[in-house]
Amino acid sequence: MKKYFPGDSEMAQLMREHDWTATPLGPVNNWPQSLRSALTICLRSASPILICWGNDYTLLYNDASKAMMGDKHPEALGDSASRVFSKIWGIIGTRIGHVFSTGKASGVDNQRIELIRDGSSEERYFNFMFNPISNEDGTVDGIFTIAFETTGHYRVEQRLRESERLFRAIVESATEFAIFTIDFNGRINSWNTGAERLLGWKDKEAIGQFVAIIYRDDDDNGSEIAEREIQLAREKGSALDERWHVRKDGSRFWASGMMMSLTDDAGNLIGYVKILQDHTERKQAQETQRILLEELNHRINNMIATIRGIASQTLKETTNPSDFVDNFNGRLNSLAHAHSLLTNSSWEGAYVGKILHKQLALQGIIDRISYSGPHAFLSSKTTLHLALVLYELGTNARKYGALSNTKGRVNVNWEIIQNKNESEVKLNWLEKGGPRVEIPNKSGFGRTLIEQSLRSVGGKADLHFEPSGVRCEITLPLLHKNRAMASEQLNDDLG
């Protein structure tokens, strides 16, 4: 079960022990790959992440999310999110339903949650970012929710509204906030230490300037933004501000802020106060999560398409159901082992020797194969295609070729060819000592895969059916970052 719920966290352990057959998700081995991949990201994240799956809104979450569950943890695991968050479901349920129906991300800011711990109530606030998890046809199967606790920031804003005295205390001590005041015309007339630290202007430089100096002016008109914000603060009492801003040196940062109207004891407007806090890291984290989700969906869709193609072609070449199962499982395992190898390198790629060893060890024939060559690093896409080709070569050798008797052997060697603009690896597969080879009358899926699969990555494979044994010449492109090293026997190093 650990492969489905990786890690040693409390939630990973609870998920491994949970009876999923009693939930709408059913047995774990039937879960879709998209759910498994999203859950891996969830369990490995240090940020609060929740997954809401299917029409029953089945809930899964990581250790960082336990705090917002209060006394509902751990019973909330596997329960419906609509029950776990029943008090706020009228708000977040609407947003989640919108994501399910449209496939577009949505969010809720400063959502109040009443936590019950040991019978005591505690008020907390969170921003929620709801992201769709889609299958290959675009249908949304689940919601990947990233939570950011905003309790501290929210309470600061609340306290700022309570009294001028508290405002003045914060102005003197809150160096993490840029706090300054402006007059009726939008001219800055006070500037705290936090504003100098965050924005770069000293108080003497900032005072008298129009507040528009802090806004980006390359894609928006800073003056118009400032005027709209002042007008809204005057009419509504406050105006939220969350956007890119600029410092004195021209560098930009993402800030969350608010402009509020200031009144005297008689209620007369006397100016405005502006509060800003740098949230660039949070913004970048959100962008990173968005990119990760896009990459996750892309990889899942590609993998599903590959599996469907393998299943379809395997079905065409087999008439016996048991043969289909064996052939399909073998190719699927080959693909899975290649994915495992790539996961260990953060999907940058893999070395030829490691790919070869993984695929042949999978079939239990590594002891009758010798191979050698320099360290040659392939891209992730090339790795997957080579893995399938090597698996087919190994299968053919084991069933019909040099490894089908007790005397035959296979020798594999490769070299790196340095060209002017690029480098490539040339790999030679040579079988000896097996039955006499006859040229096949027809081309099956395995042969087609060997001869055509590598074309999509700029490589090629040439099969030669020589009487003494099958020979295959493979040419593959290398990554630009490849480090060619001295030729050496890799069997001991990779065993």
Side-chain angles (χ1 to χ4, degrees):
M1 293 294 284
K2 196 164 186 177
K3 66 178 180 178
Y4 300 122
F5 309 109
D8 299 316
S9 66
E10 177 187 341
M11 291 310 302
Q13 183 62 34
L14 286 174
M15 290 180 189
R16 288 193 284 268
E17 298 170 355
H18 197 79
D19 180 13
W20 294 106
T21 59
T23 73
L25 296 182
V28 174
N29 56 4
N30 291 336
W31 289 8
Q33 185 61 45
S34 55
L35 174 55
R36 295 180 187 176
S37 300
L39 189 57
T40 297
I41 296 176
C42 171
L43 290 174
R44 290 177 176 171
S45 175
S47 300
I49 292 179
L50 307 91
I51 296 174
C52 184
W53 194 264
N55 296 329
D56 296 286
Y57 308 115
T58 304
L59 185 65
L60 304 99
Y61 55 95
N62 61 5
D63 279 20
S65 303
K66 293 187 299 182
M68 72 176 67
M69 300 299 168
D71 285 348
K72 295 180 181 179
H73 172 75
E75 286 75 15
L77 179 64
D79 198 358
S80 172
S82 62
R83 286 191 291 271
V84 175
F85 297 107
S86 59
K87 291 185 177 180
I88 59 171
W89 192 250
I91 299 174
I92 67 171
T94 301
R95 300 296 178 90
I96 289 175
H98 178 77
V99 178
F100 267 112
S101 61
T102 66
K104 296 180 179 179
S106 184
V108 175
D109 291 333
N110 292 327
Q111 174 60 52
R112 177 183 176 276
I113 294 182
E114 183 182 6
L115 300 183
I116 307 297
R117 287 197 183 97
D118 301 324
S120 300
S121 175
E122 182 180 354
E123 185 179 77
R124 306 290 283 274
Y125 293 84
F126 293 85
N127 285 357
F128 292 99
M129 188 175 180
F130 306 116
N131 304 276
I133 303 175
S134 306
N135 60 29
E136 61 177 329
D137 65 6
T139 302
V140 179
D141 289 332
I143 306 296
F144 190 91
T145 303
I146 306 166
F148 299 93
E149 183 168 0
T150 60
T151 305
H153 186 229
Y154 181 82
R155 287 175 178 169
V156 166
E157 292 179 346
Q158 288 294 93
R159 289 197 297 270
L160 286 172
R161 294 187 182 94
E162 290 174 359
S163 70
E164 184 178 355
R165 180 195 61 79
L166 185 56
F167 161 70
R168 288 176 180 172
I170 293 175
V171 168
E172 294 299 324
S173 61
T175 57
E176 293 300 312
F177 292 84
I179 304 174
F180 53 94
T181 58
I182 59 178
D183 62 20
F184 294 106
N185 298 315
R187 300 288 174 180
I188 298 169
N189 53 24
S190 75
W191 190 257
N192 82 331
T193 303
E196 180 179 333
R197 183 193 62 79
L198 180 59
L199 294 159
W201 288 280
K202 296 184 181 298
D203 56 352
K204 292 182 180 179
E205 297 173 314
I207 292 175
Q209 295 278 354
F210 187 43
V211 69
I213 62 172
I214 70 170
Y215 296 110
R216 291 186 66 194
D217 209 10
D218 54 356
D219 55 2
D220 288 311
N221 187 305
S223 297
E224 291 183 1
I225 294 173
E227 290 170 357
R228 286 198 301 268
E229 193 171 316
I230 291 171
Q231 181 179 358
L232 190 59
R234 182 172 60 248
E235 295 174 353
K236 304 292 186 180
S238 64
L240 294 175
D241 172 30
E242 185 153 351
R243 67 179 72 247
W244 290 106
H245 295 70
V246 291
R247 299 183 177 92
K248 177 184 176 180
D249 62 7
S251 62
R252 69 174 193 163
F253 65 99
W254 183 270
S256 296
M258 177 179 291
M259 183 180 290
M260 296 175 287
S261 59
L262 291 176
T263 58
D264 58 21
D265 293 339
N268 299 313
L269 182 67
I270 59 175
Y272 307 90
V273 59
K274 177 76 176 180
I275 305 166
L276 280 178
Q277 188 176 24
D278 186 356
H279 280 169
T280 306
E281 290 186 2
R282 187 193 74 182
K283 178 67 173 178
Q284 292 171 339
Q286 291 173 337
E287 181 64 16
T288 299
Q289 292 286 2
R290 183 189 64 79
I291 293 172
L292 284 174
L293 285 170
E294 290 179 354
E295 177 65 17
L296 173 64
N297 278 332
H298 176 71
R299 288 182 183 175
I300 288 173
N301 289 335
N302 283 346
M303 183 171 59
I304 291 174
T306 300
I307 293 172
R308 290 181 65 182
I310 290 175
S312 176
Q313 293 299 325
T314 304
L315 186 61
K316 287 181 181 179
E317 70 174 0
T318 54
T319 56
N320 188 308
S322 63
D323 289 342
F324 167 79
V325 172
D326 290 342
N327 293 339
F328 179 67
N329 282 342
R331 287 161 179 161
L332 203 59
N333 284 335
S334 170
L335 193 63
H337 277 70
H339 272 258
S340 175
L341 192 61
L342 289 171
T343 299
N344 293 333
S345 68
S346 299
W347 274 80
E348 289 185 2
Y351 286 101
V352 170
K354 293 241 181 218
I355 303 168
L356 183 67
H357 187 88
K358 272 276 188 182
Q359 293 304 311
L360 301 181
L362 178 63
Q363 301 186 66
I365 56 176
I366 198 69
D367 58 326
R368 297 176 62 189
I369 297 179
S370 61
Y371 54 100
S372 64
H375 286 276
F377 198 76
L378 306 180
S379 71
S380 58
K381 188 175 181 180
T382 304
T383 295
L384 293 175
H385 285 271
L386 178 61
L388 290 172
V389 168
L390 291 173
Y391 177 80
E392 295 298 331
L393 286 170
T395 299
N396 185 71
R398 179 168 50 81
K399 290 183 176 180
Y400 315 110
L403 304 181
S404 64
N405 61 20
T406 59
K407 298 179 181 179
R409 292 190 62 83
V410 177
N411 177 262
V412 185
N413 59 76
W414 63 93
E415 61 179 338
I416 292 177
I417 306 299
Q418 301 285 356
N419 298 321
K420 289 183 178 180
N421 299 322
E422 59 184 16
S423 300
E424 59 186 18
V425 60
K426 289 188 177 296
L427 184 147
N428 190 53
W429 172 286
L430 181 61
E431 299 182 21
K432 292 182 179 180
R436 179 180 175 82
V437 175
E438 303 290 342
I439 299 176
N441 295 326
K442 61 179 181 177
S443 180
F445 173 57
R447 180 178 174 183
T448 300
L449 190 151
I450 293 171
E451 294 180 329
Q452 299 183 12
S453 174
L454 300 177
R455 295 178 184 176
S456 63
V457 293
K460 65 177 182 176
D462 295 322
L463 271 172
H464 302 276
F465 296 95
E466 300 173 353
S468 59
V470 171
R471 180 167 58 88
C472 185
E473 297 176 347
I474 296 174
T475 302
L476 297 165
L478 296 179
L479 283 182
H480 294 300
K481 61 171 282 185
N482 186 75
R483 299 184 297 276
M485 303 177 69
S487 178
E488 58 180 315
Q489 291 291 330
L490 298 179
N491 298 57
D492 294 336
D493 181 43
L494 298 172

